[in-house]
Amino acid sequence: METQGIIQTNHLTIGYGHGNKKKVIQKDLSFSLEQEKLTALLGANGAGKSTLIKTLCGFLPPLEGNILLEDKILSSYSTSILSRKIGTVLTDRNIDGGLTVYDVIGLGRYSFTGFFGTLTSDDKSIIEDAAQQVGIHHKMHTHIALLSDGERQKTMIAKAIAQQCKTIILDEPTAFLDVKSRIEITNLLRKIVKDGKTILMSTHDLELALQLSDNLWILSDKYGLEEGCTEDLILQGALNHIFEDRNIVFDSLSGTFRYNRISNQEIFIEEGNKELSYWIKNALLRNGYNCSTSKSTCHYIAKIFPITSHEIKLVLPNNKITVSSIKELIEKLLLFFPHPKQ
């Protein structure tokens, strides 16, 4: 069954300026934002992620092409109606620190309250509910300036929820956050999607994006915007398009980018203890060695058999050694092979 996009574009060109003074960032982008899914926008710095986000929110006009929101041209919506359709959480930190959490979340109701902005009992109930959903209710009367970065981000997401829009678009929602707050915010977004919302977020937080996003948008100069199910794009090798540098590759087994070392010499790692094998591989790659778990490779310079974290067997061409830590393992390898291929 064909999926329906709540936002669709047709040959979209994004950038800045007007007339002959245009600066094109990306061109000829045709894609669709799938409803009730969490989509992560990935790309290298300068690829145009923030420009695309601002264009889809209506803050920047397209240089060419069309954007459809619920089958209507985006620019045909009034500011008031558009704010009921799309909630935005951007990276700017210009909210007045003198406002309380309640005040900021209440801003999400102003497209409903009319010129005087008087909150009804229904509006107040919606504000309370939004705060409860994101876990910031206990800070309702705290000034924004006194919040942690994570609490501030929760408040901005609650404001978007209070707008009661179907779609929420976020630009780097986990930027500036510590690990705990990043996990909390991303899991919160996952929960919001399950409640029937559509979310698009740009992010550099690859690990969380791959774990929790239904779909990926991958933006690059060479390939434009590639879209699809997260796991399908990983297996298709599309994440290697994020960086133009051939020396940086995406390791689909670990879900991370790494430096690509080209060498026909490899170290074989037995995968009996998978956790230990993974971190041995991590240490080997960091120190310039290639690794393989395939027994078909015939260019091994050494073999490693992880037993426990205190018993690792290293088999060299003319020697067998048992070491008691990964640190000792690397030291022995560097002793026998001091100049690994880089």
Side-chain angles (χ1 to χ4, degrees):
M1 182 176 67
E2 186 176 350
T3 56
Q4 184 179 2
I6 197 165
I7 295 177
Q8 296 175 309
T9 71
N10 183 33
H11 302 293
L12 177 68
T13 296
I14 61 173
Y16 300 89
H18 301 281
N20 295 326
K21 295 183 179 181
K22 295 178 181 177
K23 180 181 179 181
V24 174
I25 305 298
Q26 289 281 350
K27 61 183 179 179
D28 200 26
L29 303 177
S30 297
F31 54 83
S32 176
L33 180 64
E34 193 174 346
Q35 292 191 49
E36 298 185 14
K37 300 290 185 182
L38 174 56
T39 298
L41 171 60
L42 307 177
N45 287 335
K49 298 189 301 299
S50 291
T51 306
L52 178 58
I53 289 289
K54 291 176 182 177
T55 305
L56 295 179
C57 291
F59 301 143
L60 289 174
L63 299 185
E64 293 180 16
N66 295 319
I67 302 173
L68 297 179
L69 171 62
E70 298 180 6
D71 297 321
K72 288 180 59 178
I73 297 293
L74 182 70
S75 59
S76 69
Y77 289 96
S78 67
T79 301
S80 176
I81 296 300
L82 185 58
S83 68
R84 300 186 192 186
K85 299 289 184 179
I86 298 177
T88 59
V89 180
L90 303 182
T91 52
D92 66 75
R93 303 157 72 84
N94 295 326
I95 291 291
D96 186 348
L99 296 177
T100 66
V101 169
Y102 184 92
D103 295 333
V104 172
I105 300 175
L107 294 174
R109 298 304 302 161
Y110 282 176
S111 63
F112 298 86
T113 58
F115 180 79
F116 294 103
T118 303
L119 296 172
T120 67
S121 58
D122 285 343
D123 292 320
K124 293 176 182 178
S125 178
I126 290 168
I127 292 169
E128 295 278 344
D129 183 62
Q132 290 281 10
Q133 284 189 53
V134 305
I136 199 67
H137 190 270
H138 62 294
K139 296 277 187 174
M140 284 292 258
H141 301 294
T142 302
H143 289 94
I144 289 292
L146 300 178
L147 298 181
S148 69
D149 287 330
E151 291 168 339
R152 188 186 184 98
Q153 198 68 299
K154 287 179 181 179
T155 302
M156 300 309 296
I157 293 171
K159 171 182 171 290
I161 292 173
Q163 290 175 234
Q164 293 188 311
C165 44
K166 293 182 180 178
T167 303
I168 300 176
I169 298 179
L170 308 98
D171 189 15
E172 295 289 349
T174 58
F176 314 114
L177 303 186
D178 58 28
V179 173
K180 180 177 180 292
S181 296
R182 291 205 310 268
I183 295 171
E184 286 180 348
I185 293 297
T186 312
N187 277 298
L188 170 61
L189 298 179
R190 183 77 251 170
K191 177 180 178 295
I192 293 171
V193 167
K194 290 181 180 179
D195 290 337
K197 304 288 187 182
T198 299
I199 288 184
L200 169 65
M201 66 170 185
S202 69
T203 183
H204 283 100
D205 202 331
L206 181 72
E207 181 181 359
L208 288 175
L210 297 188
Q211 287 179 11
L212 297 174
S213 300
D214 300 297
N215 297 322
L216 297 180
W217 287 1
I218 299 176
L219 195 61
S220 65
D221 292 338
K222 184 175 181 179
Y223 296 93
L225 192 145
E226 300 170 274
E227 58 178 326
C229 169
T230 297
E231 290 74 21
D232 288 337
L233 288 183
I234 290 172
L235 294 174
Q236 291 165 16
L239 271 79
N240 284 314
H241 301 161
I242 291 178
F243 298 107
E244 298 296 328
D245 189 345
R246 291 185 177 182
N247 290 322
I248 299 176
V249 298
F250 180 74
D251 184 347
S252 61
L253 294 178
S254 65
T256 59
F257 287 97
R258 63 175 176 84
Y259 184 76
N260 185 31
R261 298 173 176 86
I262 302 172
S263 172
N264 61 358
Q265 292 183 316
E266 297 194 41
I267 295 177
F268 171 78
I269 305 176
E270 175 64 47
E271 282 196 301
N273 185 327
K274 290 189 176 181
E275 180 183 21
L276 183 55
S277 297
Y278 175 86
W279 290 111
I280 288 174
K281 179 181 177 182
N282 188 74
L284 292 173
L285 290 172
R286 185 175 67 250
N287 283 277
Y289 297 102
N290 274 350
C291 307
S292 174
T293 56
S294 171
K295 294 183 178 180
S296 63
T297 305
C298 58
H299 299 290
Y300 301 134
I301 58 173
K303 297 181 181 181
I304 296 172
F305 298 90
I307 309 301
T308 70
S309 58
H310 300 296
E311 185 182 359
I312 303 170
K313 293 185 178 180
L314 173 62
V315 179
L316 302 167
N318 298 307
N319 200 357
K320 294 181 180 179
I321 302 170
T322 299
V323 297
S324 59
S325 67
I326 295 177
K327 178 183 179 181
E328 187 181 357
L329 173 68
I330 297 301
E331 290 173 348
K332 293 294 184 183
L333 280 171
L334 289 172
L335 182 63
F336 287 96
F337 306 103
H339 300 293
K341 300 280 185 178
Q342 296 283 343

